[in-house]
Structures are given as C-alpha cells and as structure tokens.
C-alpha cells in the first residue's frame, strides 16, 4: 500500500516537473524570438516557475545554458552584453522603487506637518489653564460613565431577577387555576 502511494507521489512529481520544463522551453523560445536577455527573474516570471526550480533542477539549468549558448554573440562581447542588461534592469527597478519611496515619504511628511499644525492651532486657541480644566472634565466624565455603566449592570440584574420572579408567579397562578378549574366548571349542588 505504501509502495503504491510512494510510486504515485513520484509520478505526480515527475509530471509536475515535466510541465514546468515545458513552460520553461516555451518561455526560452519566446525570449529568444523577442531577443530579450535571458535572466532568471524574467524566466521565472514568464514560465511561472520559482527561481529555486531554475537553480536546482539540472534539466532546467541545461536548457538555460543551451539557449544562452545558442543565442550568444562572439566571446569578446558576451560577458558584457549578458551582465549589462541584468544589472541595468536591476538598477532601473531600484531607481523606480527609490523614487516611489521618496514620493511616499514626502507625502507622509506633508500630512504629518498639517496634523501638527492643526494641533498647535487648537492649543493656541485655548485660554490659559483650559487644558488642565479639559483634562479634569474628561476624567470626571470617564468616572461618571463608569458609574453609569455599573448602575446599568445592577439595574439589568434586578430586571432579570424580577422577570424570573414574574415567570415563577405566572406558573404558580396557572397551577392554582388548574386546581380550581374542576370546582368552577362543576354544576352547583341542588339546594
């Protein structure tokens, strides 16, 4: 039983690997057709495989090597032409990310400055000592809110108790009515 499961798992893994290799072949052909430099990041994106797969799978590495050898220019310019686009692409991505981060930081700083200005304006509009008065009133209101919450809980508990007593009394009245029912519906004895 375990041997069958193991064999099935191995077959599934081989099938998945073959599918990834087929996607890699298609991606390599597309990159070669478009004369796009072959980079691991571009291959991983295009073939929808992980970079780890490209580095660790021997067949994938062989396919990449074969493609790069067949599309390679003369050896004198090879090292420069293949590394240049990868570094250029990384540099452009880094510059773009840096510019975006700087814009976001500038926006955040502007927003913080506006909020600080509003706080300062509010503080300047307050007369002397009013800040302490506001803090004291806030504390008092918090204490009152706490007291009202506790009182509400006590009243709620009393209400629940009253409802339970009312249900008990209704049940007791119903029992007494049931006991009296035969006497009330029986015919009166003759005089």
């Amino acid at each position: 039983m375990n041997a069958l499961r193991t064999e099935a798992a191995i077959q599934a893994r081989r099938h998945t690997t073959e599918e990834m290799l087929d996607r890699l072949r298609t991606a390599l052909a597309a990159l070669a057709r478009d004369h796009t430099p072959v980079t691991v990041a571009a291959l991983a994106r295009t073939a929808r495989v992980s970079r780890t797969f490209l580095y660790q799978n021997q067949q994938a590495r062989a396919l990449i090597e074969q493609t790069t050898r067949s599309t390679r220019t003369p050896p004198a310019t090879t090292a420069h032409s293949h590394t240049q686009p990868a570094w250029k692409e990384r540099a452009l991505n880094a510059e773009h990310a840096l510019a975006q981060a700087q814009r976001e930081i500038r926006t955040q700083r502007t927003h913080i400055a506006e909020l600080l200005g509003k706080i300062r304006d509010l503080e300047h509009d307050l007369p002397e000592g009013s800040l302490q008065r506001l803090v004291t009133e806030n504390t008092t209101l918090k204490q009152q809110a706490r007291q009202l919450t506790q009182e509400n809980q006590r009243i709620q508990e009393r209400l629940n108790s009253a409802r339970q007593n009312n249900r008990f009394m209704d049940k007791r009245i119903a029992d007494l009515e049931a006991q009296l029912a035969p006497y009330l519906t029986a015919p009166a004895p003759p005089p």
Side-chain angles (χ1 to χ4, degrees):
M1 184 70 172
N2 284 338
L4 291 175
R5 282 186 177 176
T6 304
E7 186 61 32
I10 291 171
Q11 288 299 327
R13 177 76 175 159
R14 285 182 184 149
H15 180 69
T16 304
T17 303
E18 279 303 316
E19 286 179 351
M20 289 193 284
L21 288 172
D22 286 342
R23 290 196 308 258
L24 179 62
R25 287 182 194 101
T26 305
L28 285 168
L31 291 175
R33 183 182 61 242
D34 298 338
H35 302 289
T36 305
V38 177
T39 63
V40 174
L43 273 177
R45 260 192 321 271
T46 308
R48 299 182 326 270
V49 296
S50 68
R51 292 180 186 187
T52 306
F53 173 77
L54 296 177
Y55 286 121
Q56 291 180 350
N57 188 287
Q58 292 177 355
Q59 291 174 314
R61 282 197 318 248
L63 283 171
I64 294 169
E65 282 295 319
Q66 180 183 5
T67 303
T68 54
R69 262 188 270 128
S70 66
T71 59
R72 206 173 264 172
T73 57
T77 60
T78 301
H80 180 69
S81 65
H82 280 299
T83 57
Q84 169 107 17
W87 283 105
K88 190 175 185 179
E89 181 181 337
R90 288 183 191 141
L92 289 174
N93 288 342
E95 286 177 4
H96 177 70
L98 179 63
Q100 186 176 0
Q102 287 174 341
R103 281 192 303 272
E104 187 174 330
I105 289 170
R106 203 173 15 252
T107 303
Q108 293 295 330
R109 284 183 178 167
T110 304
H111 187 63
I112 289 171
E114 289 172 0
L115 292 175
L116 286 173
K118 287 180 182 179
I119 290 173
R120 274 190 230 111
D121 289 345
L122 290 173
E123 287 176 349
H124 288 306
D125 291 345
L126 296 175
E128 295 261 340
S130 61
L131 183 62
Q132 183 61 36
R133 183 179 51 81
L134 287 174
V135 170
T136 306
E137 286 180 11
N138 188 26
T139 306
T140 305
L141 288 174
K142 285 181 181 178
Q143 288 174 349
Q144 288 177 351
R146 230 177 288 127
Q147 289 172 350
L148 289 173
T149 303
Q150 291 172 350
E151 187 176 330
N152 188 19
Q153 288 175 348
R154 280 194 302 268
I155 291 173
Q156 193 67 33
E157 289 170 1
R158 288 177 62 193
L159 178 63
N160 288 338
S161 298
R163 286 180 178 157
Q164 286 178 350
N165 287 341
N166 191 23
R167 280 192 291 270
F168 176 75
M169 290 299 185
D170 285 343
K171 186 177 178 187
R172 181 73 179 135
I173 289 171
D175 289 343
L176 290 174
E177 286 176 349
Q179 290 174 3
L180 288 175
Y183 298 108
L184 294 174
T185 56

